[in-house]
Amino acid sequence: MSTNAAEERAILYDVIIVGAGPAGISTALYLLRFAPHLVGRTLVLEKAQHPRPKPCAGGLLPDVDRVLEELGLDLSEVPHEDARWSYFEYQGKGTPIRPVGSPFAFHVVRREEFDAWLVRKARERGIVIQEGTRVRRVIPRPDEVEVVTSRGSYRARVVVGADGAHSVVRHAIAREYRAGLARAVLIMAPPRPGASPHKEDEAFFEFSCISEGVPGYIWDFPSHLQGRPMRCWGIYDSAAVPGKSRRQIREYLAEELAQHGYRLEDYALDGAAIHRFDVRNPFSASRILLVGDAAGVDGLFGEGIGPALGYGRIAARAIAGAFERGDFSFTDYRERVLQSEMGKVLSRRALLARLIYRLRSPVLQRLIWRRLSFLVQWAVQTLLVDWAKRELGGR
Ligand SMILES: Cc1cc2nc3c(=O)[nH]c(=O)nc-3n(C[C@H](O)[C@H](O)[C@H](O)COP(=O)(O)OP(=O)(O)OC[C@H]3O[C@@H](n4cnc5c(N)ncnc54)[C@H](O)[C@@H]3O)c2cc1C
């Protein structure tokens, strides 16, 4: 062990953030804004090396633009597509949707590019991110937290768990944390003429699978790979209600793809879990906070990037307040999350996931996505998006 490494570990950091995904980097960047004096003693620990692969369709709603704008970041620096409309459909018929006043439904990024860009921006602002360091265990003590890693132990006054759906930090908060895990798998395929009834700059969400026992949807987004236009196809299984097995879900995606001229076996299938938000969870313990997938994100559509960025803002404010008061109990963090506009949207989506995905009857599903499409449009636009517009103001 080098003397430097040993000295580093003897430091009592103010804040250690575990995970350099969107939630961890957002927390660090907002700390720089709300409590800049803490950043000199803040350390981000990341097990991987950016640019690291992350199975994700990369859809960014306009909420993300608002957060990035507040952080002084410009998404035009990252390759992305704009999906002009999202079509929400049942058996090929439904309704186009996008947030009110927005010229597009969402952007699409490649996560390895987006996340590496966030990390670069954070480093340029002086945030120390140590990659190749896997956190194995977090041990809370009365005056500090010990962070046991693949490179030895570190000490911090506050630890933020931004370590994704299978969070290690979460274990230190509560044994009984409700870790409802949704699943999503995807492929990247070249566009095929006539494969989709929609235009190349449009996205679709097809909800027919609900009636087949998959409580979720199949998606098709515009995307890119190494500078070439691609389509990102995938299936989201909220697992909010009991449904099909993992293998059956893959088979279902294969059937859908075959209808559009693709053979699933010709493409690399990638997937991961998404940890669903649950209002009953604590989100924090003394000296420890959770953000992003570690805390829980959207169970209805599996949207996690915007919420990950939103959690960072709430956590950084809570940390700034804790150091001001010298009170690290974080007993108010749960309320801060639930009372935030983002928390309200996540709560509504969790409720809707349990409701809508339970209704397997094709008659009811047709009614929802076709006859009541005006209601779907209204609900999405007024209840389920734009939390950042309400929270941060702006356009
Ligand atoms: C197939 C799929 C498609 C998706 N599509 C979308 C989409 O289109 N739009 C959207 O908004 N969301 C989507 N999501 C959800 C989204 O990817 C996640 O919710 C989002 O990545 C959460 O961000 P995060 O920063 O909380 O966690 P992550 O992005 O998972 O980052 C966690 C970081 O912590 C690191 N880490 C983990 N464990 C440790 C450890 N023990 N020690 C140190 N470091 C650690 C990881 O390497 C990683 O860098 C999708 C998910 C999947 C699986």
Side-chain angles (χ1 to χ4, degrees):
M1 182 196 306
S2 76
T3 324
N4 271 356
E7 276 168 10
E8 246 171 51
R9 285 194 284 274
I11 296 172
L12 176 58
Y13 286 96
D14 282 336
V15 184
I16 287 184
I17 298 169
V18 184
I25 296 301
S26 165
T27 307
L29 289 170
Y30 271 115
L31 266 181
L32 199 56
R33 200 181 165 87
F34 299 141
H37 55 286
L38 298 180
V39 171
R41 279 181 176 272
T42 292
L43 177 66
V44 183
L45 298 175
E46 165 61 51
K47 68 176 180 188
Q49 199 87 40
H50 282 281
R52 54 109 176 78
K54 165 72 195 168
C56 182
L60 308 179
L61 282 165
D63 290 314
V64 170
D65 293 73
R66 296 213 163 74
V67 176
L68 294 179
E69 197 179 313
E70 190 180 48
L71 288 170
L73 299 175
D74 180 0
L75 188 69
S76 69
E77 293 175 13
V78 185
H80 65 273
E81 285 70 40
D82 288 341
R84 274 193 320 112
W85 287 99
S86 291
Y87 284 82
F88 280 29
E89 300 189 335
Y90 184 80
Q91 293 173 345
K93 282 196 194 139
T95 184
I97 299 185
R98 67 184 177 198
V100 176
S102 173
F104 61 92
F106 54 88
H107 308 292
V108 183
V109 292
R110 298 278 314 159
R111 280 297 298 280
E112 64 275 21
E113 294 169 348
F114 179 72
D115 291 16
W117 171 72
L118 284 177
V119 163
R120 199 173 64 245
K121 290 289 164 187
R123 282 194 167 129
E124 281 169 14
R125 295 179 186 190
I127 291 156
V128 179
I129 300 161
Q130 184 175 303
E131 295 175 297
T133 309
R134 177 187 289 271
V135 171
R136 298 221 162 99
R137 210 147 70 97
V138 165
I139 307 167
R141 306 202 189 283
D143 297 324
E144 61 183 67
V145 183
E146 184 183 345
V147 179
V148 183
T149 82
S150 51
R151 292 181 165 191
S153 284
Y154 294 77
R155 301 158 60 218
R157 289 195 167 87
V158 172
V159 168
V160 178
D163 50 341
H166 300 289
S167 170
V168 169
V169 179
R170 197 160 65 216
H171 297 315
I173 293 222
R175 269 176 217 283
E176 295 298 310
Y177 207 95
R178 289 174 174 86
L181 293 182
R183 293 172 288 179
V185 290
L186 58 80
I187 60 158
M188 298 294 290
R192 288 175 66 95
S196 162
H198 302 301
K199 301 201 179 98
E200 60 193 36
D201 57 357
E202 292 174 341
F204 88 85
F205 296 74
E206 168 61 64
F207 291 89
S208 314
C209 59
I210 301 174
S211 303
E212 304 293 329
V214 183
Y217 59 86
I218 282 190
W219 77 79
D220 169 21
F221 293 177
S223 185
H224 66 270
L225 195 58
Q226 286 147 9
R228 291 203 328 270
M230 299 292 270
R231 301 300 295 186
C232 173
W233 284 84
I235 186 162
Y236 172 68
D237 169 17
S238 70
V241 296
K244 290 196 173 193
S245 71
R246 198 173 293 223
R247 188 176 53 78
Q248 287 170 317
I249 285 163
R250 247 180 267 146
E251 282 166 6
Y252 190 83
L253 176 63
E255 279 169 30
E256 176 74 24
L257 285 170
Q259 288 177 30
H260 299 275
Y262 295 104
R263 283 164 21 117
L264 180 63
E265 56 272 32
D266 291 343
Y267 302 96
L269 190 69
D270 207 356
I274 303 169
H275 176 221
R276 293 195 313 271
F277 178 86
D278 190 318
V279 288
R280 295 167 295 181
N281 278 326
F283 309 114
S284 67
S286 178
R287 296 186 179 273
I288 304 177
L289 302 175
L290 297 179
V291 292
D293 239 328
V297 295
D298 165 36
L300 184 60
F301 304 122
E303 187 214 351
I305 307 167
L309 296 171
Y311 269 110
R313 189 175 194 270
I314 303 168
R317 268 207 199 285
I319 294 167
F323 276 91
E324 259 165 46
R325 295 190 306 273
D327 172 3
F328 299 97
S329 60
F330 291 114
T331 45
D332 62 342
Y333 181 62
R334 182 168 174 277
E335 248 350 83
R336 282 178 189 259
V337 171
L338 297 183
Q339 292 309 317
S340 70
E341 292 298 329
M342 182 201 77
K344 287 178 197 164
V345 162
L346 290 180
S347 305
R348 286 180 204 130
R349 290 196 194 181
L351 186 69
L352 267 176
R354 285 199 300 276
L355 269 174
I356 291 203
Y357 291 143
R358 203 175 294 277
L359 306 174
R360 286 178 60 169
S361 148
V363 176
L364 280 177
Q365 286 294 336
R366 261 195 291 273
L367 185 71
I368 293 171
W369 304 109
R370 298 188 188 174
R371 291 289 169 92
L372 301 178
S373 59
F374 64 94
L375 205 60
V376 172
Q377 258 176 15
W378 173 84
V380 170
Q381 290 173 336
T382 56
L383 301 175
L384 304 182
V385 296
D386 281 345
W387 55 265
K389 196 197 270 183
R390 293 188 286 278
E391 192 100 42
L392 318 182
R395 285 169 286 126

